[in-house]
Amino acid sequence: QECAAVWRFALCAPAAADAGPAPVFQAKAVESALARNLSMAESQHEIVLILLKKKEFAQAFAEADKIFQMEWPANEEPRLLKEILGLSGQFLKNDQGPLGLQLLEKNLKIFKVHQHQAAIWKEMGYLHKTAGNDDRALECFKKAQQLEKSSPE
C-alpha cells in the first residue's frame, strides 16, 4: 500500500518540470491532465489491491494494466516503474507470480530509460527464479546486465 502514497504525493508535488517554458494555458492543461491521470491511477491502484484481497486475480491484472495504458509524460517514468514493480510484488505475494510477470512483460515497452528497463528485466528474472524457471531467469538477468552496461552514467 506504500505505492498509493506515490500517487497521492504526486497530486501535491508534480514531477520534475518539463523542458522549456510553455504558454500558461498550455502548462495549466498539461498540469490538469497529469493531475487527472494521477488521481485515476491512485483509484486504479486501490481497486487492484481490493481485487487481490478478494482473490479476483484476473480482474486485478486487467485493472492494474489500465494504469500503464494511460498517457503519461516521460518524466513520470520513475513513478510508473515504482508502481509496476510494487504491483508485480503484490501478485507474487498472493502466489500469482505469473500474472506479475505478464504485467511486466506486457508493459516493458512503455519504459524508455535503460536503467528502468534493466530493473524490469531483473524483476522478471526474480519471478522466473521463484517459479523455478532458472534458464529463463538467467536470460532476464543477462538482459538486465546488458542494459546497465549500455546505460549512460
Side-chain angles (χ1 to χ4, degrees), residues 23 47 89:
I47 290 168

Side-chain angles (χ1 to χ4, degrees), residues 87-107:
L87 289 175
S88 71
Q90 288 295 316
F91 279 107
L92 181 60
K93 181 179 170 185
N94 284 279
D95 297 320
Q96 298 297 311
L99 285 176
L101 192 56
Q102 189 178 344
L103 186 67
L104 294 166
E105 289 171 343
K106 183 175 183 203
N107 293 294

Side-chain angles (χ1 to χ4, degrees), residues 36-103:
R36 185 175 68 38
N37 274 6
L38 291 169
S39 180
M40 288 172 47
E42 179 183 2
S43 296
Q44 211 53 41
H45 175 89
E46 294 303 323
I47 290 168
V48 172
L49 294 182
I50 291 166
L51 289 169
L52 287 171
K53 185 177 178 184
K54 292 176 68 175
K55 310 277 188 228
E56 295 178 19
F57 301 119
Q59 189 62 34
F61 170 84
E63 295 299 324
D65 189 52
K66 289 178 183 178
I67 295 170
F68 306 99
Q69 300 311 310
M70 296 166 66
E71 293 291 323
W72 293 101
N75 63 349
E76 291 298 320
E77 193 170 305
R79 188 184 328 272
L80 292 170
L81 177 65
K82 186 172 183 177
E83 180 69 0
I84 200 166
L85 295 177
L87 289 175
S88 71
Q90 288 295 316
F91 279 107
L92 181 60
K93 181 179 170 185
N94 284 279
D95 297 320
Q96 298 297 311
L99 285 176
L101 192 56
Q102 189 178 344
L103 186 67

Side-chain angles (χ1 to χ4, degrees), residues 127-147:
L127 291 172
H128 279 297
K129 183 177 152 188
T130 301
N133 301 327
D134 292 339
D135 290 338
R136 185 67 180 124
L138 189 59
E139 291 172 20
C140 291
F141 287 120
K142 286 181 177 181
K143 178 66 176 175
Q145 205 172 40
Q146 287 174 334
L147 286 163

